[in-house]
Amino acid sequence: MSRKRVVIAGLGDSGVLTAIKLAKHADVVGVSTKPGLVSGQELGWRLSRPAEWARHNWISFDKFRGLDRVRTVQGTLTGVDLAARKVFVDRPDGLTAVEPYDALVISTGVTNGFWRRPDLQTADEIAAGLRATHDRLAAADSVIVIGGGAAAVSSAYNVARTWPGKRVDLYFPGERALEHHHIRAWERVRDNLIEYGVGLHPGHRAVIPDGFACDEITSAPVEFSTGQAPAAAAAVLWAIGRVKPNTDWLPAELLDENGFVRVNPELQVPGQPGVFAVGDVAATDPLRTSARNRADGLLARNILADFEGKPLRSFRPASRRWGSVLGIQPDGLEIFAPNGKPFRFPAWTFERILMAWIVRRGFYRGIRENQPLS
């Protein structure tokens, strides 16, 4: 049987891992608006220590040994011909590339704030953006973080720990933050926030200004629809989880009412042979957990099984968020299990074992030395 061609539309975390797993078994083409993996994870770490964050989370595609057999195309996806099995990509040089496929993986992710955007960018533009947000927060004597998810909680904690002299306040609409995590996880994280002086303000639902996309750090006072007085700080970080799926290039029949890609339990798009979806863009379950539960391995197996006419396996969504919340710290990395119980990697194991062996060699099949953020 001749080798099949798989097009991976979107090379974020899920797309890169899927491409690596398929590279030995098919001709894989990856399409991305970036020249490398720019992870949407660990926002607090990214804001407070961007050079350190970039070493592990902003990696050009040529550094991945597992992508050596993958042809990457930088450009913006503009459309798909499902009958002819082709996708269309506008390249930076102004030309349109046409990429045929036997299987298409939609992993274009979501837009969320300034840290997860589908814009076409160069390496220099990515580096400049990392520095600019860091410098903006470093210069502020007070910071407000709006939101109750992991991105907001992590940002408040890391800003407070990195710059002890700042006033940092976290405003969230519910009785507690991390509502999709087990209560045990929130209780432990809450104690960490309090330890580093973060002011916690539950029951505050911020009013989003008209036309504001929550994609920049602002300085205007924040008003609340829940009756409290406005709050002000030199810098306001909006991390409210207002995600928009990057699916403008897809026909409406592939999408649910919120614009996410409809999939069955096998991660196939119903009624579309050879079309699959994974990651934050895939409507697998309310939390879209295929992005963080190693569904890339199951998807790769299913694509190869589909080529051979074999049965496919079903994805089983997680009922709660789990994993790291606060990110790597000088005293180690704490990971929360789905039941909220933490386990800790001591600081010395993070680089030597977790990143070097589990992530870089295990998940990514080897990474060449990455260039530091200048």
Side-chain angles (χ1 to χ4, degrees), residues 256-321:
D256 68 9
E257 64 276 10
N258 297 311
F260 296 91
V261 180
R262 294 183 295 110
V263 291
N264 61 22
E266 291 72 41
L267 302 179
Q268 290 179 304
V269 177
Q272 300 296 336
V275 182
F276 300 79
V278 70
D280 286 314
V281 77
T284 51
D285 58 285
L287 298 180
R288 299 188 304 282
T289 56
S290 73
R292 296 166 191 86
N293 288 275
R294 303 313 315 280
D296 51 278
L298 180 143
L299 175 58
R301 287 193 296 269
N302 279 356
I303 290 172
L304 298 176
D306 189 50
F307 287 156
E308 298 176 2
K310 296 180 179 179
L312 277 57
R313 300 181 186 179
S314 296
F315 171 69
R316 294 181 175 83
S319 59
R320 290 192 177 99
R321 297 283 193 205

Side-chain angles (χ1 to χ4, degrees), residues 1-4 304 307-308:
M1 183 179 69
S2 61
R3 284 171 68 88
K4 300 289 189 177
L304 298 176
F307 287 156
E308 298 176 2

Side-chain angles (χ1 to χ4, degrees), residues 17 20-21 64-66 294 351-368:
L17 289 168
I20 288 171
K21 287 180 171 59
F64 290 93
R65 297 186 188 278
R294 303 313 315 280
E351 291 284 353
R352 299 181 193 176
I353 297 177
L354 180 61
M355 297 307 299
W357 290 96
I358 298 177
V359 176
R360 291 181 167 241
R361 290 181 181 268
F363 293 171
Y364 292 138
R365 311 284 171 86
I367 295 180
R368 301 176 181 91

Side-chain angles (χ1 to χ4, degrees), residues 43 109-118 146-152 173 180 205-216 223 225 237-246 258 260 280 288 292 321:
L43 178 60
V110 297
T111 295
N112 184 11
F114 56 81
W115 62 95
R116 299 177 75 183
R117 299 193 57 79
I146 305 294
H180 296 305
R205 184 173 296 279
V207 175
I208 302 172
D210 292 339
F212 179 49
C214 302
D215 57 356
E216 61 182 283
E223 297 184 349
S225 62
L237 173 64
W238 298 78
I240 61 174
R242 178 180 276 192
V243 300
K244 177 182 180 299
N246 297 322
N258 297 311
F260 296 91
D280 286 314
R288 299 188 304 282
R292 296 166 191 86
R321 297 283 193 205

